[in-house]
């Protein structure tokens, strides 16, 4: 068992996560198990969370590898440890984060920079069930459906004005880098998720207005200075949903979902110039980075669709 001080660190950290992120019970349990295992391992070595250094964290990860734990589990454990120590640093319990610069398992082999369609489906399902309240679940579902349906940058997503989605639009106007505007179509699941979230949001806003509070102009209101959900909050939310979906959190970021949006469109035959417009890229050369995971698919297209290739087969 961990020493009392380490147990206090873990429980305080998990309570803060639950308060700040509304983390689901299964997610909390996963992080809790990871941290208890690490603290127990340290205790058996005569150390604790307060005294562990980078070498100790590395040794623990080596032990996890030797036990045959999956890459996803080892990546999640490192993520848990890193987040605990970041919290400890912010609280002034430690002067450093010994896990900050450690590389997650599998990096040497090159982790995929995108996700399969099946993995995205698991993320969507996890987003629907993660939150502790109906409001959390509706908001999380809308965030993930909207991000995957549009490929928005995370700053564009969290800062989206509520006026942009009024009236159940088929397309929304997005203001991107350099204040450039573009139109982005919405999928049917994204429109449905937005409608459900918007109805709940509007009821909450009306209740707040009756109490004398000013309504928010953002689709995803937040308590911070900017008035909307922060990028940092959404980044942490994505990690939570990945854990709940059984996917290594090291593989999932808002940008990876943007990447998945582009690569899945390409895999299903979308034109690169169209994807360039949807992503808001000024230069198609930037969009071309999304083709690297589709080499076999594109090669097959050339061999089966090119007119000279068909003549050769005939």
């Amino acid at each position: 068992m961990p020493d009392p001080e380490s147990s206090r660190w873990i429980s305080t950290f998990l309570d803060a996560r639950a308060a700040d992120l509304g983390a689901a019970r299964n997610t909390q349990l996963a992080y809790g198990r990871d941290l208890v295992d690490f603290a127990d391992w340290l205790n058996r070595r005569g150390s604790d969370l307060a005294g562990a250094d980078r070498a100790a964290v590395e040794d623990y990860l080596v032990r996890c590898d030797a036990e045959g734990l999956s890459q996803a589990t080892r990546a999640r454990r490192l993520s848990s440890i890193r987040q605990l120590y970041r919290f400890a640093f912010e609280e002034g319990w430690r002067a450093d984060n010994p896990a900050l610069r450690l590389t997650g398992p599998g990096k040497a082999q090159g982790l995929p920079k995108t996700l399969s369609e099946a993995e995205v489906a698991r993320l969507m399902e996890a987003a629907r069930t993660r939150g502790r309240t109906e409001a959390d679940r509706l908001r999380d579902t809308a965030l993930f459906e909207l991000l995957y349906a549009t490929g928005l940058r995370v700053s564009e997503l969290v800062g989206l004005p509520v006026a942009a989605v009024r009236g159940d639009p088929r397309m929304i106007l997005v203001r991107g880098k350099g204040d450039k505007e573009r139109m982005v179509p919405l999928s049917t699941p994204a429109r449905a998720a937005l409608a459900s979230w918007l109805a709940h949001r509007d009821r909450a806003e009306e209740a707040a207005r009756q109490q004398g509070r000013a309504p928010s102009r953002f689709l995803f209101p937040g308590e911070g200075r900017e008035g909307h959900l922060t990028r940092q909050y959404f980044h942490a939310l994505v990690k939570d949903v990945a854990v709940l979906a059984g996917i290594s959190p090291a593989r999932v970021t808002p940008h990876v979902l943007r990447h998945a949006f582009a690569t899945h469109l390409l895999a299903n035959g979308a034109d690169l110039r169209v994807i360039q417009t949807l992503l808001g890229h000024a230069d198609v050369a930037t969009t071309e980075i999304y083709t690297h995971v589709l080499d076999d698919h594109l090669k097959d297209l050339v061999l089966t669709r090119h007119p000279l290739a068909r003549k050769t087969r005939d």
Side-chain angles (χ1 to χ4, degrees):
M1 291 291 295
D3 63 282
E5 182 69 3
S6 293
S7 295
R8 184 183 69 82
W9 278 32
I10 294 170
S11 62
T12 305
F13 165 68
L14 293 176
D15 287 345
R17 277 178 51 82
D20 293 343
L21 289 173
R25 175 173 170 78
N26 287 344
T27 307
Q28 290 289 85
L29 290 174
Y31 276 81
R33 285 193 299 268
D34 292 342
L35 295 172
V36 166
D37 187 80
F38 176 53
D40 184 47
W41 180 82
L42 288 172
N43 193 30
R44 293 197 302 271
R45 288 166 53 106
S47 184
D48 57 14
L49 292 174
D53 57 12
R54 174 172 173 162
V57 180
E58 289 177 327
D59 289 346
Y60 173 72
L61 294 174
V62 169
R63 193 269 286 180
C64 291
D65 189 19
E67 287 185 348
L69 297 182
S70 71
Q71 180 177 303
T73 299
R74 286 181 285 127
R76 192 193 66 222
R77 288 195 175 183
L78 175 57
S79 177
S80 302
I81 294 167
R82 184 181 287 133
Q83 290 185 56
L84 170 68
Y85 278 123
R86 181 171 61 196
F87 178 76
F89 175 78
E90 292 171 350
E91 292 293 308
W93 300 345
R94 283 193 60 131
D96 65 335
N97 181 342
L100 182 63
R101 301 190 182 281
L102 292 181
T103 301
K107 284 287 187 179
Q109 287 73 41
L111 285 174
K113 292 183 175 61
T114 189
L115 299 165
S116 69
E117 293 182 34
E119 287 172 326
V120 170
R122 283 159 54 192
L123 287 173
M124 295 299 173
E125 184 57 34
R128 295 185 190 100
T129 60
R130 186 204 72 94
R132 292 181 299 174
T133 67
E134 181 187 15
D136 288 341
R137 292 189 291 272
L138 290 174
R139 183 205 58 193
D140 295 352
T141 301
L143 282 164
F144 273 77
E145 289 285 1
L146 187 56
L147 179 58
Y148 181 58
T150 62
L152 293 180
R153 299 178 179 92
V154 66
S155 57
E156 296 168 346
L157 175 67
V158 298
L160 198 66
V162 68
V165 299
R166 291 293 186 195
D168 190 26
R170 268 59 173 175
M171 301 186 75
I172 59 174
L173 180 66
V174 178
R175 188 181 299 275
K177 286 185 176 180
D179 280 339
K180 292 182 178 179
E181 296 180 334
R182 67 186 189 277
M183 296 296 293
V184 180
L186 293 178
S187 66
T188 299
R191 288 172 56 210
L194 280 172
S196 297
W197 164 242
L198 198 57
H200 189 284
R201 175 202 173 281
D202 286 351
R203 288 194 298 270
E205 287 283 299
E206 177 59 22
R209 187 188 65 79
Q210 292 179 3
Q211 295 176 7
R213 285 180 284 175
S216 172
R217 68 183 186 88
F218 296 106
L219 177 60
F220 301 108
E223 299 294 331
R225 182 180 60 187
E226 295 174 319
H228 58 69
L229 208 65
T230 65
R231 290 178 299 169
Q232 294 81 4
Y233 181 99
F234 184 60
H235 190 276
L237 172 62
V238 167
K239 298 293 185 183
D240 267 7
V241 171
V243 170
L244 192 59
I247 302 171
S248 168
R251 293 184 55 214
V252 187
T253 66
H255 180 72
V256 167
L257 282 168
R258 176 171 158 90
H259 194 162
F261 161 81
T263 52
H264 295 171
L265 280 178
L266 278 173
N268 285 281
D271 182 84
L272 197 62
R273 291 284 184 181
V274 172
I275 295 174
Q276 176 194 358
T277 301
L278 294 176
L279 292 175
H281 287 162
D283 190 337
V284 73
T286 307
T287 316
E288 286 172 350
I289 65 170
Y290 294 101
T291 65
H292 74 281
V293 296
L294 297 173
D295 289 345
D296 291 340
H297 175 75
L298 295 177
K299 186 186 299 181
D300 181 65
L301 282 178
V302 171
L303 293 177
T304 59
R305 303 292 180 85
H306 193 282
L308 293 182
R310 289 200 299 269
K311 287 180 180 178
T312 300
R313 292 203 315 275
D314 293 343

